[in-house]
Amino acid sequence: LEMARIDAPPTALYGRIRDILEAARANIARTVNTTQVVANWLIGREIVDAEQGGEQRADYGARLLAGLSARLTQAFGRGWSVDNLEAFRQFYLLYPSLISETVSRQSKRAVISETLSRKSMLPLPTAWHPGELHPGLSWSHYRALLRVSRQQARDFYEIETAKNAWSVRELS
């Protein structure tokens, strides 16, 4: 019994290390969410660019998304349905300035990964506005916001979600 007490770390030390690990886990989750949001926005931008560079007909867009869905599903598994691709497209159209042009045009994997990792570890900028990337919002948050048709209402819910750290359930 005496030996166990000597080997046990002091409570304060344990508490500080536990806090470090919990903060690291939260930062990892935030980084993953931010990276997913950026990837979906970039995919939406690519789809819109392809549609605008191609034929301007609805059947062309439908064929484009169906073919893209099939190829992405084959290469990456589930999650690439036409509905999801349409959501990415809508996300880009409703949030055209979500990501700075510098980050979005340098869409090489390493540049995005490094930039987002650094950005997501920083405190939120005081000048954040709705329509800009917010590391506290996940893809599920943005997906819920896409269902709000009026821009003014969407901005309100986005601000409240970011300010109050609403869960997706609270937002919906």
Side-chain angles (χ1 to χ4, degrees):
L1 289 177
E2 190 66 33
M3 189 62 106
R5 220 177 312 145
I6 293 171
D7 291 339
T11 302
L13 173 62
Y14 169 78
R16 290 191 307 271
I17 291 172
R18 185 192 67 231
D19 291 347
I20 290 168
L21 292 173
E22 287 174 356
R25 285 181 177 171
N27 191 41
I28 288 168
R30 194 170 34 258
T31 300
V32 168
N33 282 333
T34 301
T35 303
Q36 183 67 55
V37 168
V38 170
N40 294 348
W41 186 87
L42 290 169
I43 292 167
R45 186 191 70 197
E46 293 299 322
I47 291 168
V48 169
D49 286 352
E51 287 175 338
Q52 291 176 354
E55 303 171 43
Q56 292 291 318
R57 296 192 319 258
D59 62 329
Y60 170 76
R63 284 193 326 267
L64 176 74
L65 292 182
L68 192 56
S69 171
R71 289 185 73 183
L72 289 170
T73 299
Q74 184 178 16
F76 297 101
R78 294 178 5 168
W80 302 102
S81 67
V82 170
D83 287 344
N84 280 344
L85 295 175
E86 286 174 347
F88 302 157
R89 179 185 173 281
Q90 181 186 16
F91 183 44
Y92 174 75
L93 292 172
L94 292 179
Y95 288 89
S97 61
L98 181 76
I99 303 166
S100 76
E101 200 57 27
T102 304
V103 173
S104 70
R105 288 295 168 194
Q106 296 175 345
S107 59
K108 291 186 171 65
R109 187 180 329 169
V111 172
I112 290 172
S113 175
E114 180 184 343
T115 302
L116 291 177
S117 294
R118 271 190 272 119
K119 282 186 176 183
S120 65
M121 295 177 74
L122 300 174
L124 291 178
T126 55
W128 173 83
H129 302 326
E132 297 174 352
L133 179 64
H134 190 290
L137 301 182
S138 67
W139 171 242
S140 297
H141 285 103
Y142 284 110
R143 189 80 190 245
L145 289 166
L146 293 177
R147 291 191 295 266
V148 179
S149 58
R150 285 188 25 246
Q151 177 70 45
Q152 188 176 17
R154 190 170 46 253
D155 289 350
F156 169 81
Y157 286 115
E158 188 174 353
I159 290 167
E160 291 302 309
T161 301
K163 184 170 66 173
N164 298 305
W166 285 354
S167 68
V168 176
R169 178 173 278 170
E170 290 170 308
L171 172 60
S172 300

